[in-house]
Amino acid sequence: MKLKQHQRDTLNFYSFASPWIIGFLLFSVIPMGVSLYYSFTKISVIQIGRKNPSFVGFNNYIRIFTKDQDFVASIINTFEFTFLKVLFTVVISLLVALLLNRAMPGKRLFRTLIYLPSIIPIIGAALLWQLLLSNDLSLINYFLSFLHIGPIQFLNIQNALSSVVLMSVWGSIGPTMILLLAALQGVPNDLYEAVTLDGGGWFAKFKCVTMPFISPTLLYTTITGLIGGLQSYAEMKLLTNGGPGNATTTMSMLVVNNAFMDDGLGLGYACSEAWVIFAITLVFTGIFFSVSNKFVYYGGDK
Amino acid sequence: MKKLSNSLFALLLAFLVVLTACSSNQGSSSTVSSQGGKADDSGPVTLTYFLWGNDNEIQMTNSIIAKFNEKYPNIKIEIERSTGDYFQTLKTKFAGKNEPDIFLMEPGEVGSFLKDGLLADLTDYLKNGTALKDSDLWPVNDIYKYDGQKIGSGSLYAIIKDWSPDYMMVYNKKLFDQAGIAYPDPNTPMTWDEFLATAKKLTKRDAKGNIQVYGTDMASTPYKHIYEYLQMTGGSLYTQDGKKSNILDSKLRPAFEYFVNLQSGKDAPAQYTSGTTTGDPGARFAAGQVAITWYGLWAYSSYAWGSSGFDIGFAPPPVMKKGDPKLAISSGLVSHAISSNCVNTDAAWKFIEFYMTEGQKVLAQNSFNIPGNKTVANNEFLNTGSDKVKERNKYFIDAATSYTKPIPVNLYVPQSRFDSILSKEFTMIFEGKQTLDQALNKCDSQLNDVISQNSDK
């Protein structure tokens, strides 16, 4: 059998891509299909494979939008968290990257120190922050007491979400900073010289040279931060377990909690919640992409 | 080039074959073992046993298994210890058809397992058994009986391994001495008001007003206490058939007020429990940071209170009014159950039977908790150890038999859901965001919603 060149190319493509394709089918497409099916049914975790799910039509979805106040609260929490986290992460990382991009003594040491928090596993980080912030043995409050400040309730209903943001930003500055630093080092020096010759100061350099060159990286870090923030689970689960009340319960957390409850809501309801979250994330990212295209510079191409 | 693509294609095919082979392999191996188990009863059998527990408890279990294997060398027990949320893991195992043969159960979780028929019926095994008899079991085992409609009667699906009234008053005598307060009477309960006043007196603050010693601590199971207070009022949380919430009944209100007063307000003797309190409450008590705490007998050995450096006293839980009868509840009631899919139920029963007879003697020697075997409890358990240990064991057995009730179970409201609703709404009270009335109204509508979700077929 003799294959034509393009047939061979096609075959090669699929052979090389097959590990990914198989993985994608097995671990993403099929589970998503199953979860879409479950989202229209009433079933609990332990009933899977033992009982036929009873079909309830759009009841789960209707319940989400009419009755479930927890879900609304969790959406607000998630967006608040995501907005604050992305904002602070990107701005602080950019400032740090700009600082570290200059010739200065001890640059490598600072780079390492700032990157360090992100290599600590989230469990360790959460335990550490619990010691720093918890209501009954906060180390921060202990040190503040010498300055006659406090005690501050870092994890009460008003401050809990901000505390989670603080911990999360602390852990994600490192990688973002490295990406931005790499982008900054790719900015051609001659353009800065051109600005200087034209009489521009540091702000003109930043606005007309630096920003356009790093804008794709900024977009990338923002989008990944956004998606990560909307899916956030571990930080809150470990630091506050969603509390106090449901002040730090995120959308994903609510899905997991509902999935393992044995009441009538159970897994089917959790699946429909997951699909609503998916839709929200999709719409939100789409809007973000279309808006951001106006601000991002792709080397002259439109 | 052609050769390369051909070999890649072959590789891809091989990969797919391996994948399918894997899955079919698993299927066939399980059928082989099930046939093996049925064909020859004395053949080697491996049972999986899923449990939770601290190092102490696991060590006791291991020594029971070692003794079991002396008698039944052909039955191998593989224990798997839960490291995270036990019931979440157990349910995931069931969903994946990978459930353990023997596992631990709790009253608050058993409802859905019974409704879906996932537990093996143990009634006949108990009836035909030789070593373990029905008369060895405590009456509280009724909480694991189910007749297809309601819990409390019918066939038996799990057997309590050990138990205790779980919220007995446990106090630090040294802190009472320092505050110059008389010890609580071990037989006559205090009233709620008396307790609140005592606990406030025991709360110690430093010069800046920060609390050094808390009068009491509800942190180990913050919302389970409510079940006890509610029963003391004489009211009921649900209507008779369990299909409607009765939480707004004025009869129940003093219980909620007491619960809030313990943890809310400037001079509250306990800090309210959010998800953000660090440290284990049992260890906090052992460290002398809490004057009065609420535990069952098991906590004494689990937290090594014996080496805490102060004397510990016990008293019945405070009641609503002077003269009310004593009441305590048992919420743990941890039991052994066998999966209804287990292929070696006979072997699994042999293990439970051994655990409930010879194994109970190991528990009794360690004075761990009141043994689930009544006969062992009344003999070995009461006659082991120093006088102090014997006295303590007797005190707990008396409390258990004369005034302890099991935690009430509603088939339509899982305890985890009840706890999560209450914790959400009561936290808002403790944080000063809503009043008790608002919280109770919200709880009422949410409980009714859960019931309606759960009771319609």
Side-chain angles (χ1 to χ4, degrees):
Chain A
M1 189 174 69
K2 204 171 157 92
L3 293 170
K4 285 189 184 134
Q5 179 65 38
H6 77 271
Q7 282 175 321
R8 239 184 291 156
D9 286 347
T10 315
L11 187 66
N12 282 344
F13 168 76
Y14 282 109
S15 329
F16 278 107
S18 61
W20 182 83
I21 293 174
I22 292 169
F24 181 64
L25 286 176
L26 278 181
F27 299 116
S28 291
V29 175
I30 295 173
M32 278 175 83
V34 173
S35 111
L36 185 63
Y37 167 63
Y38 280 154
S39 76
F40 293 102
T41 63
K42 188 168 175 174
I43 187 167
S44 74
V45 172
I46 49 174
Q47 288 170 343
I48 295 176
R50 293 190 168 76
K51 224 173 149 181
N52 282 332
S54 55
F55 193 74
V56 294
F58 282 95
N59 278 3
N60 288 337
Y61 290 94
I62 293 169
R63 192 189 152 83
I64 290 177
F65 292 108
T66 54
K67 270 192 174 167
D68 199 339
Q69 290 168 356
D70 293 351
F71 194 70
V72 177
S74 78
I75 291 179
I76 295 170
N77 287 340
T78 311
F79 274 85
E80 200 179 329
F81 171 78
T82 307
F83 175 76
L84 291 174
K85 181 191 164 177
V86 171
L87 181 72
F88 283 111
T89 308
V90 172
V91 169
I92 296 174
S93 303
L94 183 59
L95 290 176
V96 173
L98 285 170
L99 275 177
L100 289 178
N101 197 32
R102 303 151 65 100
M104 58 183 248
K107 201 161 93 174
R108 288 189 180 171
L109 178 70
F110 285 119
R111 233 183 262 175
T112 313
L113 285 180
I114 290 166
Y115 194 76
L116 210 55
S118 64
I119 61 169
I120 298 176
I122 182 79
I123 300 256
L127 287 175
L128 182 80
W129 281 92
Q130 240 171 28
L131 284 180
L132 290 173
L133 301 174
S134 72
N135 293 343
D136 48 353
L137 52 239
S138 159
L139 283 179
I140 293 184
N141 275 335
Y142 178 71
F143 290 116
L144 284 180
S145 72
F146 293 115
L147 305 170
H148 301 281
I149 305 174
I152 302 167
Q153 295 285 318
F154 290 102
L155 297 177
N156 71 3
I157 218 155
Q158 282 95 359
N159 299 336
L161 195 68
S162 315
S163 296
V164 181
V165 170
L166 181 67
M167 172 178 118
S168 190
V169 168
W170 172 81
S172 48
I173 283 177
T176 318
M177 184 252 332
I178 292 285
L179 286 171
L180 289 172
L181 199 58
L184 282 174
Q185 285 173 349
V187 182
N189 251 332
D190 48 341
L191 292 180
Y192 286 126
E193 281 166 26
V195 177
T196 318
L197 285 179
D198 284 346
W202 66 269
F203 185 72
K205 279 183 192 166
F206 179 74
K207 189 179 158 245
C208 304
V209 181
T210 314
M211 271 313 270
F213 269 93
I214 63 166
S215 58
T217 312
L218 273 181
L219 175 71
Y220 170 77
T221 50
T222 311
I223 295 264
T224 48
L226 195 72
I227 295 174
L230 291 178
Q231 295 175 337
S232 52
Y233 174 81
E235 296 99 324
M236 298 78 180
K237 177 75 189 166
L238 294 166
L239 188 66
T240 59
N241 200 11
N246 49 16
T248 56
T249 305
T250 59
M251 300 190 291
S252 342
M253 227 167 146
L254 198 68
V255 171
V256 174
N257 288 349
N258 277 332
F260 286 97
M261 281 290 181
D262 287 327
D263 46 25
L265 302 174
L267 190 68
Y269 186 68
C271 284
S272 56
E273 283 182 326
W275 275 93
V276 173
I277 294 174
F278 179 67
I280 291 174
T281 313
L282 204 65
V283 168
F284 202 70
T285 319
I287 294 172
F288 197 81
F289 256 112
S290 60
V291 172
S292 63
N293 269 342
K294 293 198 176 102
F295 302 104
V296 176
Y297 170 74
Y298 288 111
D301 292 342
K302 257 288 158 189
Chain B
M1 192 61 210
K2 193 186 155 196
K3 229 176 167 181
L4 181 69
S5 68
N6 273 350
S7 55
L8 273 171
F9 189 63
L11 200 74
L12 172 65
L13 279 178
F15 184 55
L16 281 172
V17 169
V18 168
L19 268 182
T20 44
C22 274
S23 56
S24 66
N25 226 349
Q26 275 174 358
S28 63
S29 74
S30 70
T31 45
V32 164
S33 75
S34 73
Q35 282 162 355
K38 284 217 172 85
D40 180 11
D41 218 11
S42 61
V45 168
T46 303
L47 297 171
T48 48
Y49 176 22
F50 188 50
L51 76 171
W52 75 83
N54 63 22
D55 289 349
N56 241 341
E57 293 164 39
I58 299 295
Q59 218 176 345
M60 270 189 277
T61 309
N62 276 330
S63 68
I64 293 173
I65 291 173
K67 281 190 178 170
F68 174 72
N69 280 337
E70 283 168 21
K71 195 170 171 192
Y72 300 102
N74 275 337
I75 304 176
K76 192 167 175 276
I77 309 280
E78 256 172 24
I79 70 167
E80 187 189 337
R81 182 177 174 182
S82 167
T83 46
D85 185 324
Y86 174 84
F87 281 100
Q88 240 176 49
T89 318
L90 184 67
K91 287 172 197 169
T92 316
K93 282 172 182 288
F94 268 92
K97 298 268 173 82
N98 189 24
E99 68 265 31
D101 297 308
I102 308 166
F103 45 91
L104 302 184
M105 243 317 131
E106 272 191 353
E109 294 281 349
V110 76
S112 59
F113 287 87
L114 291 175
K115 270 193 290 186
D116 291 325
L118 302 178
L119 306 182
D121 186 346
L122 304 179
T123 319
D124 287 341
Y125 282 108
L126 189 63
K127 210 188 284 168
N128 304 329
T130 44
L132 183 70
K133 286 183 274 309
D134 196 30
S135 56
D136 291 329
L137 299 185
W138 297 98
V140 276
N141 278 290
D142 285 357
I143 204 159
Y144 292 111
K145 283 182 179 165
Y146 182 60
D147 61 5
Q149 294 296 323
K150 60 179 192 302
I151 286 175
S153 59
S155 305
L156 184 67
Y157 289 90
I159 290 177
I160 293 171
K161 68 185 187 84
D162 56 71
W163 71 303
S164 167
D166 283 312
Y167 309 109
M168 290 295 276
M169 188 196 233
V170 181
Y171 61 91
N172 179 332
K173 288 189 175 171
K174 199 161 120 193
L175 290 173
F176 269 77
D177 292 340
Q178 283 170 6
I181 298 173
Y183 300 147
D185 189 296
N187 296 311
T188 319
M190 291 174 150
T191 65
W192 288 348
D193 290 340
E194 285 167 4
F195 176 76
L196 210 56
T198 310
K200 280 178 184 174
K201 270 188 235 158
L202 286 160
T203 307
K204 271 200 280 198
R205 292 180 164 77
D206 65 7
K208 282 183 200 153
N210 296 326
I211 292 182
Q212 300 289 297
V213 174
Y214 283 95
T216 187
D217 184 353
M218 326 274 290
S220 73
T221 44
Y223 293 92
K224 297 263 193 298
H225 293 276
I226 280 193
Y227 291 95
E228 185 182 85
Y229 306 159
L230 291 176
Q231 283 200 41
M232 285 174 175
T233 62
S236 164
L237 189 54
Y238 304 101
T239 51
Q240 192 83 45
D241 58 358
K243 292 205 171 173
K244 208 154 171 40
S245 150
N246 195 30
I247 201 169
L248 295 176
D249 186 356
S250 59
K251 229 176 160 182
L252 299 176
R253 204 183 153 87
F256 291 113
E257 279 170 357
Y258 174 54
F259 182 75
V260 170
N261 288 340
L262 282 171
Q263 304 172 71
S264 173
K266 259 196 123 92
D267 58 347
Q271 59 176 341
Y272 89 85
T273 311
S274 60
T276 51
T277 315
T278 47
D280 194 307
R284 274 207 294 271
F285 177 73
Q289 294 163 0
V290 173
I292 302 169
T293 191
W294 313 95
Y295 275 104
L297 181 58
W298 59 272
Y300 200 94
S301 54
S302 285
Y303 292 115
W305 284 344
S307 51
S308 57
F310 52 83
D311 278 338
I312 290 174
F314 300 96
V319 293
M320 191 164 83
K321 316 184 289 289
K322 199 111 228 141
D324 278 357
K326 281 185 274 192
L327 178 78
I329 61 168
S330 183
S331 69
L333 298 170
V334 181
S335 62
H336 281 122
I338 302 175
S339 155
S340 57
N341 267 351
C342 174
V343 287
N344 296 305
T345 317
D346 293 348
W349 170 256
K350 273 179 195 155
F351 176 70
I352 291 184
E353 195 178 43
F354 186 85
Y355 190 102
M356 290 307 297
T357 48
E358 295 303 309
Q360 292 284 306
K361 291 173 189 163
V362 176
L363 296 189
Q365 272 160 19
N366 287 283
S367 179
F368 169 64
N369 210 0
I370 299 175
N373 184 324
K374 212 195 301 184
T375 318
V376 176
N378 285 328
N379 295 297
E380 283 88 345
F381 180 68
L382 279 182
N383 300 311
T384 317
S386 65
D387 286 347
K388 240 181 169 172
V389 174
K390 281 185 213 160
E391 194 189 330
R392 187 167 69 233
N393 289 351
K394 174 137 187 12
Y395 185 76
F396 270 86
I397 282 211
D398 287 345
T401 49
S402 58
Y403 58 90
T404 300
K405 288 187 186 167
I407 191 163
V409 178
N410 183 313
L411 203 53
Y412 310 109
V413 185
Q415 255 171 35
S416 48
R417 181 65 88 183
F418 178 81
D419 283 9
S420 91
I421 291 174
L422 256 73
S423 107
K424 195 175 68 195
E425 299 305 339
F426 276 70
T427 302
M428 302 290 273
I429 301 179
F430 300 142
E431 292 271 356
K433 299 278 172 202
Q434 67 182 4
T435 63
L436 180 58
D437 285 310
Q438 288 167 322
L440 290 178
N441 276 315
K442 286 193 196 164
C443 289
D444 185 55
S445 65
Q446 287 173 70
L447 286 174
N448 280 329
D449 182 41
V450 171
I451 293 171
S452 70
Q453 286 291 324
N454 239 351
S455 52
D456 62 334
K457 288 288 168 213

